[in-house]
Amino acid sequence: MGEEEESLVTTTARDAILGRVRRSLGVSGTEINRRAAVADRLARAPRGVIPARGQIEHDARVALFITKIEAVQATTERVASPADVPRAVADYLRRHNLPQAVRMGADPRLEAVDWSREPQLSVAFGRSDGRDLVCVSHADAGIAETGTLALTSGPANPTTLNFLPDVHVVVLDAADVVGDAEAVFEGLRARFGVGQLPRTVNMVTGPSRSADIEQTLLLGAHGPRSLHVVVVG
Amino acid sequence: MQITSPRFKKNAHEALQNPPLQKAMGNVEVNFIGRRAASAAALPEFEALRDNARDIKNHTLQHLDLYLEAYERKVTEAGGHVHFAEDADAARKIILEICRQKGAKTVTKGKSMISEEIGLNQYLEANGVVPVETDLGEYIIQLRGEAPSHIIAPAVHVNKEEVEAEFRRVHTHLDPKRDLSEPTTLLAEARGELRAKFLAADVGITGANFLIAETGTSVIVTNEGNGDLTQILPRTHIVIASIEKITPTLNDVGQILRVLARSATGQEMSVYTTFSTGPRRPEDPDGPDDYHVVILDNGRSSMLGTDFEDMLRCIRCGACMNHCPVYHAIGGHAYGWVYPGPMGAVLTPTLIGVDKSGHLPNASTFCGRCESVCPMRIPLPKMMRHWREREFEQHLQPKAARWGLKTWAWFAKRPRVYQLATRVAMGGLGLMGRAKGRFASLPLASGWTTYRDFPAPEGETFQAQWAKRRKAS
């Protein structure tokens, strides 16, 4: 099938489908009020029903985030400042008998940290090819309501680091813990522009799991077997 | 896949006589119902969220043409390609053509019911492209050469001993003496086997839980992470989704996500909710170079404005089948096509015709549990009744059933005759059955009396008792 023919076929299918939708709805697609209703919803993006659970003051919100993400089998620890992150990561690796080697992206918040303070820890940068046991990412936000991390793709935090390692360590600034997913969406609109998103936004709520064999819950199906969150501040 | 819905009665009978299936189905009722109830009870806003989720979908369906156009514009802006497919055949051809253009030998696949609906795997295989299912449950049933028996737990009918047997049969390069007695060892083996396939695949195909008009984004909701490895490692990502997956905004998705996982598995959120927009950006170190979305109609546009429009709100959580006594008894394969349980009983006749699947909307006790747990408040029993009416109108039932219904209707429309007839019939049956109090067999009622006795009527008819009480009060 040539390029031209393909576009002809799909354009016809497109018009046929839209035509059938319109016939079934009894509309033409040019109605001003319908077009206004759609434009209004897309522009306004109403928040809807937001559970009260996450709508609390900052300290309680961070505490709720930690409770919630631990309830889905992630582990957490809290450190006072970014300078404490290398030690926290190295200690975590030691506690779990893991080699002192991690991979991370070019996130300025991770690059600003002096990793040489842990001389045994070797740090590689860039995307993963699947041979890294442990990867470190910096989250954009944490959602207290459900204990969910939000991560965005790009050189700062390549998406492969979220899924290929056995152990995923995620650094999260306590100041970035928000009440609900809608606050994350608002942040994305502010950062990337209204109607724009980076290639991938990952919302991660615990380590990978499957219950496909006899409904038995098992961790580490295809993604990380362990998720460790270092909350800074 | 081969449609066996016309043989539903035989399928159901065989399922009831299948001990391994009955053992596996025991897990469904025990696990899903309690987990959903607990997570719904833990969120005070749950019922309000269900209302809002229903309203969002209703609004979207009423404006579906415009949201489809808006979505298409945004995908194109982000550098992706949108293909519209009127039916299964068109969708398969579009996907094969993309695979051929990329010279793809193997494609990895995230779990997609639309892929099952269009029979994609068989088609790709027949055309020299090897599809590899990567969701653990889908992988198991692909090895077994089966269709899924549940829309979110495709291998729910399989016991772990059967998984072990399958892995030993297929993974012959591994040590035959290895221990596979526990689910953990089975999972570890699948993880190892599939990791190599993820890294080698040329194209990754996923479904979508949502297509967002605001941003031109496809969303997948998973627990394993296989859908993510499927879409970030190969150079091409193809999304296959049906037209009703369109959702206006990110915030609207946020509303529906709050009822989706709770209704499905009882989780507050599934582990991975992934928003994918276009191909990788120039500066991105990973992600696909090409991003295609195939939007399938396959009869759905004709459901708008009919008795079955509400079905287009379905978000495929599986709660209706998890709570269905018929599904618990017979499992998903007996329904004979892709979609089982109450949602399948409504959707299947739309997609393959009520002439082939008329048994499905009849396979219901009308207990109403499906509707009571449906996060999108779809009136499933009502729509099954609509199908029964269509079945009658189209003269699809056996002659005896039609004759019976017609006879009953003749009496029911004439209350005095009906009362007289029932009084005589009940009185007669009561007299005949007085000695034993029950009948071991009755003409025209063998469907009942083959399995259990029919109790002999006692006293007066319900209507006579009702009339007497009203007079007395």
Side-chain angles (χ1 to χ4, degrees):
Chain A
M1 202 191 292
E3 189 77 2
E4 215 179 314
E5 194 187 345
E6 184 195 12
S7 71
L8 185 73
V9 169
T10 47
T11 305
T12 310
R14 174 188 186 276
D15 294 347
I17 291 170
L18 289 175
R20 253 197 320 273
V21 167
R22 288 183 171 130
R23 265 197 307 285
S24 297
L25 292 172
V27 300
S28 71
T30 55
E31 295 84 356
I32 290 164
N33 57 338
R34 289 179 75 248
R35 299 190 82 88
V38 167
D40 175 66
R41 188 167 196 102
L42 291 175
R44 229 169 15 95
R47 283 163 53 88
V49 180
I50 305 297
R53 183 201 282 175
Q55 310 303 305
I56 45 182
E57 53 88 27
H58 178 74
D59 290 347
R61 212 154 61 208
V62 177
L64 176 63
F65 171 82
I66 290 171
T67 307
K68 281 289 171 190
I69 201 162
E70 286 185 344
V72 290
Q73 290 82 31
T75 52
T76 66
E77 68 182 287
R78 210 162 167 183
V79 299
S81 83
D84 303 322
V85 171
R87 163 60 66 83
V89 171
D91 282 351
Y92 176 85
L93 299 179
R94 267 188 285 275
R95 279 203 304 280
H96 292 85
N97 263 337
L98 290 159
Q100 291 282 321
V102 297
R103 175 175 289 279
M104 63 184 72
D107 192 295
R109 293 162 293 189
L110 296 174
E111 281 182 336
V113 170
D114 183 8
W115 293 91
S116 67
R117 285 164 66 163
E118 292 297 322
Q120 288 185 315
L121 184 65
S122 77
V123 182
F125 293 92
R127 62 165 288 166
S128 176
D129 62 3
R131 281 179 292 184
D132 307 291
L133 216 48
V134 185
C135 293
V136 179
S137 304
H138 203 296
D140 285 345
I143 303 168
E145 183 186 320
T146 48
T148 300
L149 294 161
L151 301 114
T152 46
S153 60
N157 292 286
T159 307
T160 38
L161 307 194
N162 303 343
F163 293 97
L164 283 171
D166 268 29
V167 177
H168 192 205
V169 178
V170 179
V171 182
L172 170 70
D173 286 340
D176 293 333
V177 174
V178 296
D180 46 67
E182 287 70 14
V184 172
F185 298 145
E186 208 41 57
L188 291 168
R189 289 185 193 107
R191 190 169 144 207
F192 295 96
V194 172
Q196 315 290 323
L197 285 181
R199 155 62 205 177
T200 310
V201 178
N202 290 121
M203 292 205 178
V204 177
T205 313
S208 159
R209 67 200 58 199
S210 175
D212 273 348
I213 300 175
E214 295 194 351
Q215 308 273 292
T216 312
L217 181 68
L218 303 170
L219 297 185
H222 291 290
R225 300 170 205 263
S226 309
L227 174 68
H228 185 63
V229 185
V230 181
V231 181
V232 181
Chain B
M1 66 184 273
Q2 202 198 338
I3 298 169
T4 70
S5 305
R7 286 195 286 128
F8 174 80
K9 284 187 176 179
K10 189 165 173 286
N11 293 348
H13 188 72
E14 285 165 8
L16 290 167
Q17 315 282 333
N18 179 343
L21 174 71
Q22 291 299 321
K23 175 170 170 262
M25 293 311 295
N27 297 326
V28 176
E29 193 170 356
V30 177
N31 290 311
F32 280 118
I33 294 180
R35 287 176 193 161
R36 180 210 168 264
S39 87
L43 187 70
E45 294 89 352
F46 188 68
E47 296 304 319
L49 282 160
R50 284 175 70 186
D51 288 341
N52 199 34
R54 174 199 57 205
D55 296 347
I56 288 168
K57 276 284 182 187
N58 282 346
H59 163 83
T60 313
L61 292 172
Q62 288 312 306
H63 301 84
L64 189 59
D65 53 329
L66 301 176
Y67 281 119
L68 276 165
E69 288 179 342
Y71 168 77
E72 183 194 24
R73 253 192 322 271
K74 292 305 291 187
V75 176
T76 313
E77 264 177 44
H81 305 275
V82 178
H83 310 259
F84 286 88
E86 288 195 72
D87 55 25
D89 189 48
R92 289 188 296 249
K93 284 187 173 139
I94 292 166
I95 292 169
L96 178 66
E97 182 56 29
I98 299 168
C99 291
R100 286 204 168 139
Q101 278 174 14
K102 303 293 164 192
K105 293 189 183 66
T106 66
V107 304
T108 41
K109 295 187 65 213
K111 202 182 115 40
S112 156
M113 289 310 296
I114 298 296
S115 165
E116 300 288 345
E117 180 180 324
I118 66 172
L120 183 59
N121 287 358
Q122 298 87 324
Y123 183 79
L124 289 178
E125 256 170 278
N127 287 282
V129 178
V130 179
V132 181
E133 292 289 351
T134 63
D135 171 87
L136 179 60
E138 287 282 343
Y139 180 64
I140 291 167
I141 61 166
Q142 188 184 25
L143 296 183
R144 286 166 60 94
E146 286 180 317
S149 70
H150 188 289
I151 60 172
I152 66 159
V156 75
H157 60 287
V158 185
N159 294 298
K160 72 173 196 285
E161 292 76 18
E162 296 168 299
V163 179
E164 175 178 354
E166 211 49 42
F167 281 12
R168 288 195 189 284
R169 183 180 73 77
V170 178
H171 303 157
T172 48
H173 53 287
L174 298 174
D175 178 8
K177 284 188 230 126
R178 68 195 186 280
D179 179 16
L180 285 179
S181 57
E182 288 302 318
T184 46
T185 51
L186 293 166
L187 176 74
E189 181 160 317
R191 181 186 170 105
E193 290 299 302
L194 286 166
R195 187 51 78 90
K197 312 236 162 156
F198 281 123
L199 294 163
D202 307 295
V203 170
I205 301 176
T206 69
N209 293 82
F210 307 94
L211 303 174
I212 308 177
E214 178 188 356
T215 49
T217 301
S218 56
V219 183
I220 57 169
V221 177
T222 72
N223 279 314
E224 297 183 6
N226 64 303
D228 290 279
L229 292 173
T230 297
Q231 62 164 289
I232 57 175
L233 295 175
R235 303 193 56 178
T236 302
H237 176 199
I238 304 175
V239 177
I240 169 90
S242 48
I243 54 171
E244 82 279 15
K245 294 290 168 203
I246 296 277
T247 313
T249 66
L250 289 161
N251 290 357
D252 292 325
V253 169
Q255 295 290 291
I256 301 173
L257 281 174
R258 287 186 175 89
V259 295
L260 172 58
R262 286 181 172 92
S263 301
T265 57
Q267 292 167 284
E268 296 199 333
M269 279 281 274
S270 300
V271 176
Y272 301 115
T273 303
T274 298
F275 299 74
S276 309
T277 312
R280 75 200 276 183
R281 309 299 147 82
E283 69 277 15
D284 285 353
D286 49 24
D289 296 327
D290 289 298
Y291 176 73
H292 296 266
V293 185
V294 180
I295 300 185
L296 175 74
D297 181 348
N298 214 18
R300 288 166 174 81
S301 56
S302 306
M303 291 164 73
L304 288 166
T306 71
D307 288 339
F308 303 103
E309 179 177 303
D310 290 340
M311 193 60 215
L312 294 173
R313 291 203 301 269
C314 177
I315 53 172
R316 307 290 190 265
C317 70
C320 59
M321 57 198 75
N322 292 343
H323 290 75
C324 176
V326 177
Y327 180 87
H328 292 160
I330 61 174
H333 285 159
Y335 290 81
W337 196 55
V338 174
Y339 300 105
M343 60 78 67
V346 174
L347 192 58
T348 305
T350 321
L351 298 180
I352 67 170
V354 70
D355 54 325
K356 292 198 195 72
S357 53
H359 287 310
L360 305 192
N362 285 288
S364 164
T365 63
F366 280 165
C367 67
R369 268 161 110 183
C370 50
E371 183 175 356
S372 73
V373 296
C374 174
M376 307 307 286
R377 301 202 191 280
I378 299 171
L380 290 156
K382 187 177 94 182
M383 287 190 286
M384 286 186 236
R385 275 200 300 277
H386 286 317
W387 275 125
R388 293 183 187 189
E389 287 157 19
R390 303 265 173 116
E391 200 188 12
F392 186 80
E393 285 160 12
Q394 293 176 25
H395 299 261
L396 293 171
Q397 290 139 320
K399 275 215 175 97
R402 290 188 62 78
W403 178 85
L405 278 171
K406 270 192 181 158
T407 311
W408 179 83
W410 189 89
F411 280 100
K413 283 184 208 152
R414 295 165 178 81
R416 281 169 185 282
V417 184
Y418 183 88
Q419 280 169 33
L420 180 71
T422 46
R423 203 162 66 222
V424 171
M426 290 309 117
L429 275 178
L431 270 178
M432 285 192 288
R434 199 165 44 183
K436 284 189 179 161
R438 60 196 158 79
F439 295 95
S441 72
L442 267 183
L444 301 177
S446 63
W448 177 285
T449 55
T450 309
Y451 301 100
R452 47 223 179 292
D453 290 344
F454 188 86
E458 285 175 29
E460 291 176 302
T461 65
F462 173 79
Q463 288 195 344
Q465 290 182 47
W466 180 259
K468 209 177 264 176
R469 275 195 210 180
R470 284 207 18 190
K471 221 180 255 175
S473 63

